[in-house]
Each structure stands twice: as structure tokens, then as C-alpha cells.
Amino acid sequence: MDRVAEYRQIIQKILTKYTQIPYAYGDMESQTIFDHNADRYMLITIGWNSGRRVHGCIVHIDIVNDEVWLQRDDTDYEIALQLEEAGIPKKQIVLGFQTPDVRPFTGYAVA
């Protein structure tokens, strides 16, 4: 299996795991969105809480030029660390939510 195909499987496995965690409040659920052609992967929350509509992106990951770009991580679970523990080297993970001048100090790829 090539490296990018392996990254796809790792990302999908990690994000799918979060859809199994129930919310403690409201009528909400997590859903995954996987775009295999563009290599975009998202975890979203959708539902209702206290009469208000909830719809938003929790995690957004892209694969760009064989690198895993973590564009958003609104979890308490450190998705970058989970990607690393699952086998994606730190030098292949870009924290896209960090400004380019901060990335060299994160220990992850700078892009």
C-alpha cells in the first residue's frame, strides 16, 4: 500500500471513532465527510441544543502533496498526536491552523 493510501485509512479510522461518542447534552451527533477524490476529511457536529441549530466543523484534514494538513482541530483529543501514534511521521503532518511563522516551533512539518 502506498503512503497516501495508508494516510487515508488512518485519518478515516480516527475520525470515524469520534462518531461513536454521544453528546452529553442536546440532540446532536457527529458525522464524517470523506472526499476521496480531493483528499479532504471532516468531522462535523449537527443537531439541536436548547432550541438552537448546531452545525459546524470539528476536525478538517487535507492530504496535500503527500503531507497531512490538519486545518482545524476543535477537539480536546490532540488529533495531530493521534495521527502520529497511528503511524504518520511528524515531518508529514502540517498544523495548518498555525501561522506559517509559528510552524517551525511546533515540532511538525512547516509545509
Side-chain angles (χ1 to χ4, degrees):
M1 176 183 315
D2 71 45
R3 180 172 44 181
V4 172
E6 182 180 349
Y7 292 174
R8 287 179 186 124
Q9 285 187 338
I10 290 169
I11 293 165
Q12 290 176 58
K13 182 177 180 181
I14 289 171
L15 295 185
T16 299
K17 176 178 66 174
Y18 289 102
T19 65
Q20 306 304 311
I21 301 172
Y23 278 85
Y25 55 89
D27 182 21
M28 298 184 295
E29 67 176 342
S30 295
Q31 297 177 355
T32 55
I33 299 173
F34 299 151
D35 179 347
H36 302 287
N37 294 326
D39 274 327
R40 291 192 175 98
Y41 307 88
M42 297 178 77
L43 177 70
I44 65 167
T45 298
I46 191 166
W48 294 89
N49 185 30
S50 300
R52 296 184 63 125
R53 181 70 172 156
V54 176
H55 183 273
C57 176
I58 304 301
V59 178
H60 175 185
I61 300 172
D62 295 328
I63 300 175
V64 180
N65 298 326
D66 296 341
E67 292 179 318
V68 175
W69 280 69
L70 184 53
Q71 307 286 14
R72 182 179 186 93
D73 181 2
D74 246 1
T75 71
D76 295 329
Y77 302 108
E78 298 184 50
I79 299 295
L81 182 58
Q82 291 181 41
L83 294 168
E84 184 184 350
E85 290 173 347
I88 300 175
K90 285 179 97 163
K91 66 181 181 173
Q92 294 301 118
I93 300 171
V94 178
L95 302 181
F97 56 82
Q98 295 287 356
T99 60
D101 58 319
V102 171
R103 289 182 199 149
F105 306 104
T106 65
Y108 290 93
V110 295

PDB file of all heavy atoms in Angstrom, residues 56-77:
ATOM      1  N   GLY A  56     -21.427  22.503  12.598  1.00  0.00           N
ATOM      2  CA  GLY A  56     -20.094  23.065  12.492  1.00  0.00           C
ATOM      3  C   GLY A  56     -19.019  22.021  12.322  1.00  0.00           C
ATOM      4  O   GLY A  56     -19.206  20.837  12.624  1.00  0.00           O
ATOM      5  N   CYS A  57     -17.900  22.484  11.858  1.00  0.00           N
ATOM      6  CA  CYS A  57     -16.741  21.636  11.619  1.00  0.00           C
ATOM      7  C   CYS A  57     -15.934  21.496  12.913  1.00  0.00           C
ATOM      8  O   CYS A  57     -15.560  22.500  13.519  1.00  0.00           O
ATOM      9  CB  CYS A  57     -15.876  22.253  10.518  1.00  0.00           C
ATOM     10  SG  CYS A  57     -14.354  21.357  10.224  1.00  0.00           S
ATOM     11  N   ILE A  58     -15.658  20.261  13.293  1.00  0.00           N
ATOM     12  CA  ILE A  58     -14.856  19.986  14.481  1.00  0.00           C
ATOM     13  C   ILE A  58     -13.410  19.684  14.072  1.00  0.00           C
ATOM     14  O   ILE A  58     -12.469  20.181  14.664  1.00  0.00           O
ATOM     15  CB  ILE A  58     -15.436  18.792  15.269  1.00  0.00           C
ATOM     16  CG1 ILE A  58     -16.895  19.045  15.640  1.00  0.00           C
ATOM     17  CG2 ILE A  58     -14.596  18.487  16.499  1.00  0.00           C
ATOM     18  CD1 ILE A  58     -17.134  20.270  16.470  1.00  0.00           C
ATOM     19  N   VAL A  59     -13.248  18.854  13.049  1.00  0.00           N
ATOM     20  CA  VAL A  59     -11.924  18.498  12.540  1.00  0.00           C
ATOM     21  C   VAL A  59     -11.953  18.569  11.018  1.00  0.00           C
ATOM     22  O   VAL A  59     -12.904  18.102  10.400  1.00  0.00           O
ATOM     23  CB  VAL A  59     -11.502  17.072  12.973  1.00  0.00           C
ATOM     24  CG1 VAL A  59     -10.144  16.703  12.387  1.00  0.00           C
ATOM     25  CG2 VAL A  59     -11.482  16.931  14.483  1.00  0.00           C
ATOM     26  N   HIS A  60     -10.906  19.162  10.438  1.00  0.00           N
ATOM     27  CA  HIS A  60     -10.757  19.223   8.984  1.00  0.00           C
ATOM     28  C   HIS A  60      -9.315  18.847   8.666  1.00  0.00           C
ATOM     29  O   HIS A  60      -8.378  19.475   9.162  1.00  0.00           O
ATOM     30  CB  HIS A  60     -11.067  20.625   8.486  1.00  0.00           C
ATOM     31  CG  HIS A  60     -10.818  20.826   7.027  1.00  0.00           C
ATOM     32  ND1 HIS A  60     -10.956  22.046   6.427  1.00  0.00           N
ATOM     33  CD2 HIS A  60     -10.434  19.986   6.029  1.00  0.00           C
ATOM     34  CE1 HIS A  60     -10.666  21.950   5.144  1.00  0.00           C
ATOM     35  NE2 HIS A  60     -10.336  20.698   4.883  1.00  0.00           N
ATOM     36  N   ILE A  61      -9.154  17.812   7.837  1.00  0.00           N
ATOM     37  CA  ILE A  61      -7.830  17.330   7.436  1.00  0.00           C
ATOM     38  C   ILE A  61      -7.806  17.210   5.917  1.00  0.00           C
ATOM     39  O   ILE A  61      -8.738  16.693   5.313  1.00  0.00           O
ATOM     40  CB  ILE A  61      -7.529  15.952   8.066  1.00  0.00           C
ATOM     41  CG1 ILE A  61      -7.564  16.036   9.593  1.00  0.00           C
ATOM     42  CG2 ILE A  61      -6.180  15.429   7.578  1.00  0.00           C
ATOM     43  CD1 ILE A  61      -7.473  14.691  10.289  1.00  0.00           C
ATOM     44  N   ASP A  62      -6.728  17.696   5.311  1.00  0.00           N
ATOM     45  CA  ASP A  62      -6.489  17.532   3.876  1.00  0.00           C
ATOM     46  C   ASP A  62      -5.179  16.779   3.687  1.00  0.00           C
ATOM     47  O   ASP A  62      -4.272  16.887   4.516  1.00  0.00           O
ATOM     48  CB  ASP A  62      -6.344  18.889   3.171  1.00  0.00           C
ATOM     49  CG  ASP A  62      -7.607  19.724   3.183  1.00  0.00           C
ATOM     50  OD1 ASP A  62      -8.706  19.136   3.156  1.00  0.00           O
ATOM     51  OD2 ASP A  62      -7.493  20.960   3.212  1.00  0.00           O
ATOM     52  N   ILE A  63      -5.089  16.052   2.603  1.00  0.00           N
ATOM     53  CA  ILE A  63      -3.801  15.494   2.187  1.00  0.00           C
ATOM     54  C   ILE A  63      -3.371  16.296   0.967  1.00  0.00           C
ATOM     55  O   ILE A  63      -4.069  16.333  -0.046  1.00  0.00           O
ATOM     56  CB  ILE A  63      -3.892  13.994   1.851  1.00  0.00           C
ATOM     57  CG1 ILE A  63      -4.352  13.210   3.073  1.00  0.00           C
ATOM     58  CG2 ILE A  63      -2.532  13.482   1.366  1.00  0.00           C
ATOM     59  CD1 ILE A  63      -4.584  11.727   2.812  1.00  0.00           C
ATOM     60  N   VAL A  64      -2.225  16.985   1.098  1.00  0.00           N
ATOM     61  CA  VAL A  64      -1.710  17.859   0.046  1.00  0.00           C
ATOM     62  C   VAL A  64      -0.248  17.492  -0.193  1.00  0.00           C
ATOM     63  O   VAL A  64       0.565  17.564   0.742  1.00  0.00           O
ATOM     64  CB  VAL A  64      -1.816  19.342   0.455  1.00  0.00           C
ATOM     65  CG1 VAL A  64      -1.290  20.241  -0.645  1.00  0.00           C
ATOM     66  CG2 VAL A  64      -3.242  19.711   0.833  1.00  0.00           C
ATOM     67  N   ASN A  65       0.072  17.090  -1.429  1.00  0.00           N
ATOM     68  CA  ASN A  65       1.458  16.743  -1.776  1.00  0.00           C
ATOM     69  C   ASN A  65       2.086  15.758  -0.779  1.00  0.00           C
ATOM     70  O   ASN A  65       3.176  15.982  -0.274  1.00  0.00           O
ATOM     71  CB  ASN A  65       2.320  18.009  -1.876  1.00  0.00           C
ATOM     72  CG  ASN A  65       1.842  18.938  -2.951  1.00  0.00           C
ATOM     73  OD1 ASN A  65       1.343  18.511  -3.988  1.00  0.00           O
ATOM     74  ND2 ASN A  65       1.965  20.229  -2.717  1.00  0.00           N
ATOM     75  N   ASP A  66       1.366  14.696  -0.478  1.00  0.00           N
ATOM     76  CA  ASP A  66       1.822  13.642   0.429  1.00  0.00           C
ATOM     77  C   ASP A  66       1.988  14.088   1.880  1.00  0.00           C
ATOM     78  O   ASP A  66       2.581  13.370   2.679  1.00  0.00           O
ATOM     79  CB  ASP A  66       3.133  13.010  -0.055  1.00  0.00           C
ATOM     80  CG  ASP A  66       2.988  12.294  -1.384  1.00  0.00           C
ATOM     81  OD1 ASP A  66       1.846  11.976  -1.764  1.00  0.00           O
ATOM     82  OD2 ASP A  66       4.012  12.048  -2.036  1.00  0.00           O
ATOM     83  N   GLU A  67       1.488  15.262   2.227  1.00  0.00           N
ATOM     84  CA  GLU A  67       1.514  15.721   3.606  1.00  0.00           C
ATOM     85  C   GLU A  67       0.087  15.785   4.137  1.00  0.00           C
ATOM     86  O   GLU A  67      -0.849  16.096   3.414  1.00  0.00           O
ATOM     87  CB  GLU A  67       2.141  17.110   3.724  1.00  0.00           C
ATOM     88  CG  GLU A  67       3.611  17.141   3.428  1.00  0.00           C
ATOM     89  CD  GLU A  67       4.181  18.540   3.539  1.00  0.00           C
ATOM     90  OE1 GLU A  67       3.528  19.504   3.082  1.00  0.00           O
ATOM     91  OE2 GLU A  67       5.286  18.655   4.073  1.00  0.00           O
ATOM     92  N   VAL A  68      -0.050  15.515   5.423  1.00  0.00           N
ATOM     93  CA  VAL A  68      -1.340  15.576   6.087  1.00  0.00           C
ATOM     94  C   VAL A  68      -1.465  16.950   6.728  1.00  0.00           C
ATOM     95  O   VAL A  68      -0.692  17.300   7.626  1.00  0.00           O
ATOM     96  CB  VAL A  68      -1.466  14.462   7.147  1.00  0.00           C
ATOM     97  CG1 VAL A  68      -2.761  14.604   7.927  1.00  0.00           C
ATOM     98  CG2 VAL A  68      -1.372  13.097   6.486  1.00  0.00           C
ATOM     99  N   TRP A  69      -2.409  17.743   6.205  1.00  0.00           N
ATOM    100  CA  TRP A  69      -2.629  19.094   6.707  1.00  0.00           C
ATOM    101  C   TRP A  69      -3.799  19.083   7.681  1.00  0.00           C
ATOM    102  O   TRP A  69      -4.945  18.857   7.288  1.00  0.00           O
ATOM    103  CB  TRP A  69      -2.943  20.042   5.559  1.00  0.00           C
ATOM    104  CG  TRP A  69      -1.732  20.499   4.812  1.00  0.00           C
ATOM    105  CD1 TRP A  69      -0.932  19.753   4.006  1.00  0.00           C
ATOM    106  CD2 TRP A  69      -1.188  21.806   4.825  1.00  0.00           C
ATOM    107  NE1 TRP A  69       0.080  20.523   3.503  1.00  0.00           N
ATOM    108  CE2 TRP A  69      -0.050  21.789   3.989  1.00  0.00           C
ATOM    109  CE3 TRP A  69      -1.546  22.998   5.455  1.00  0.00           C
ATOM    110  CZ2 TRP A  69       0.717  22.925   3.788  1.00  0.00           C
ATOM    111  CZ3 TRP A  69      -0.781  24.121   5.230  1.00  0.00           C
ATOM    112  CH2 TRP A  69       0.348  24.067   4.411  1.00  0.00           C
ATOM    113  N   LEU A  70      -3.528  19.327   8.936  1.00  0.00           N
ATOM    114  CA  LEU A  70      -4.565  19.442   9.946  1.00  0.00           C
ATOM    115  C   LEU A  70      -5.019  20.902   9.949  1.00  0.00           C
ATOM    116  O   LEU A  70      -4.354  21.775  10.493  1.00  0.00           O
ATOM    117  CB  LEU A  70      -4.023  19.014  11.316  1.00  0.00           C
ATOM    118  CG  LEU A  70      -4.984  18.980  12.482  1.00  0.00           C
ATOM    119  CD1 LEU A  70      -6.228  18.133  12.167  1.00  0.00           C
ATOM    120  CD2 LEU A  70      -4.288  18.447  13.716  1.00  0.00           C
ATOM    121  N   GLN A  71      -6.140  21.149   9.265  1.00  0.00           N
ATOM    122  CA  GLN A  71      -6.637  22.513   9.073  1.00  0.00           C
ATOM    123  C   GLN A  71      -7.403  23.038  10.284  1.00  0.00           C
ATOM    124  O   GLN A  71      -7.421  24.240  10.540  1.00  0.00           O
ATOM    125  CB  GLN A  71      -7.544  22.586   7.833  1.00  0.00           C
ATOM    126  CG  GLN A  71      -6.933  22.049   6.570  1.00  0.00           C
ATOM    127  CD  GLN A  71      -5.867  22.960   5.971  1.00  0.00           C
ATOM    128  OE1 GLN A  71      -5.372  23.883   6.599  1.00  0.00           O
ATOM    129  NE2 GLN A  71      -5.494  22.695   4.747  1.00  0.00           N
ATOM    130  N   ARG A  72      -8.052  22.120  10.999  1.00  0.00           N
ATOM    131  CA  ARG A  72      -8.836  22.505  12.180  1.00  0.00           C
ATOM    132  C   ARG A  72      -8.866  21.330  13.141  1.00  0.00           C
ATOM    133  O   ARG A  72      -9.059  20.196  12.722  1.00  0.00           O
ATOM    134  CB  ARG A  72     -10.254  22.900  11.771  1.00  0.00           C
ATOM    135  CG  ARG A  72     -11.123  23.352  12.929  1.00  0.00           C
ATOM    136  CD  ARG A  72     -12.511  23.746  12.431  1.00  0.00           C
ATOM    137  NE  ARG A  72     -13.299  24.299  13.495  1.00  0.00           N
ATOM    138  CZ  ARG A  72     -13.389  25.595  13.771  1.00  0.00           C
ATOM    139  NH1 ARG A  72     -12.749  26.463  13.040  1.00  0.00           N
ATOM    140  NH2 ARG A  72     -14.148  26.015  14.759  1.00  0.00           N
ATOM    141  N   ASP A  73      -8.705  21.619  14.414  1.00  0.00           N
ATOM    142  CA  ASP A  73      -8.862  20.614  15.466  1.00  0.00           C
ATOM    143  C   ASP A  73      -9.539  21.279  16.648  1.00  0.00           C
ATOM    144  O   ASP A  73      -8.902  21.936  17.456  1.00  0.00           O
ATOM    145  CB  ASP A  73      -7.514  20.027  15.875  1.00  0.00           C
ATOM    146  CG  ASP A  73      -7.651  18.958  16.960  1.00  0.00           C
ATOM    147  OD1 ASP A  73      -8.787  18.645  17.367  1.00  0.00           O
ATOM    148  OD2 ASP A  73      -6.611  18.435  17.405  1.00  0.00           O
ATOM    149  N   ASP A  74     -10.845  21.123  16.713  1.00  0.00           N
ATOM    150  CA  ASP A  74     -11.634  21.692  17.801  1.00  0.00           C
ATOM    151  C   ASP A  74     -12.002  20.616  18.818  1.00  0.00           C
ATOM    152  O   ASP A  74     -13.075  20.660  19.400  1.00  0.00           O
ATOM    153  CB  ASP A  74     -12.907  22.339  17.244  1.00  0.00           C
ATOM    154  CG  ASP A  74     -12.914  23.838  17.437  1.00  0.00           C
ATOM    155  OD1 ASP A  74     -11.941  24.376  17.983  1.00  0.00           O
ATOM    156  OD2 ASP A  74     -13.906  24.470  17.031  1.00  0.00           O
ATOM    157  N   THR A  75     -11.128  19.640  18.986  1.00  0.00           N
ATOM    158  CA  THR A  75     -11.358  18.580  19.967  1.00  0.00           C
ATOM    159  C   THR A  75     -10.442  18.803  21.162  1.00  0.00           C
ATOM    160  O   THR A  75      -9.532  19.631  21.126  1.00  0.00           O
ATOM    161  CB  THR A  75     -11.057  17.179  19.386  1.00  0.00           C
ATOM    162  OG1 THR A  75      -9.639  17.044  19.231  1.00  0.00           O
ATOM    163  CG2 THR A  75     -11.767  16.959  18.069  1.00  0.00           C
ATOM    164  N   ASP A  76     -10.644  18.028  22.179  1.00  0.00           N
ATOM    165  CA  ASP A  76      -9.750  18.013  23.337  1.00  0.00           C
ATOM    166  C   ASP A  76      -8.799  16.829  23.254  1.00  0.00           C
ATOM    167  O   ASP A  76      -8.163  16.476  24.235  1.00  0.00           O
ATOM    168  CB  ASP A  76     -10.564  17.897  24.632  1.00  0.00           C
ATOM    169  CG  ASP A  76     -11.450  19.109  24.872  1.00  0.00           C
ATOM    170  OD1 ASP A  76     -11.055  20.213  24.460  1.00  0.00           O
ATOM    171  OD2 ASP A  76     -12.522  18.945  25.480  1.00  0.00           O
ATOM    172  N   TYR A  77      -8.697  16.207  22.074  1.00  0.00           N
ATOM    173  CA  TYR A  77      -8.009  14.922  21.965  1.00  0.00           C
ATOM    174  C   TYR A  77      -6.708  14.957  21.172  1.00  0.00           C
ATOM    175  O   TYR A  77      -6.131  13.928  20.893  1.00  0.00           O
ATOM    176  CB  TYR A  77      -8.958  13.891  21.333  1.00  0.00           C
ATOM    177  CG  TYR A  77     -10.230  13.729  22.115  1.00  0.00           C
ATOM    178  CD1 TYR A  77     -11.431  14.221  21.610  1.00  0.00           C
ATOM    179  CD2 TYR A  77     -10.240  13.110  23.352  1.00  0.00           C
ATOM    180  CE1 TYR A  77     -12.613  14.083  22.318  1.00  0.00           C
ATOM    181  CE2 TYR A  77     -11.414  12.966  24.073  1.00  0.00           C
ATOM    182  CZ  TYR A  77     -12.594  13.451  23.551  1.00  0.00           C
ATOM    183  OH  TYR A  77     -13.756  13.325  24.246  1.00  0.00           O
TER     184      TYR A  77
END
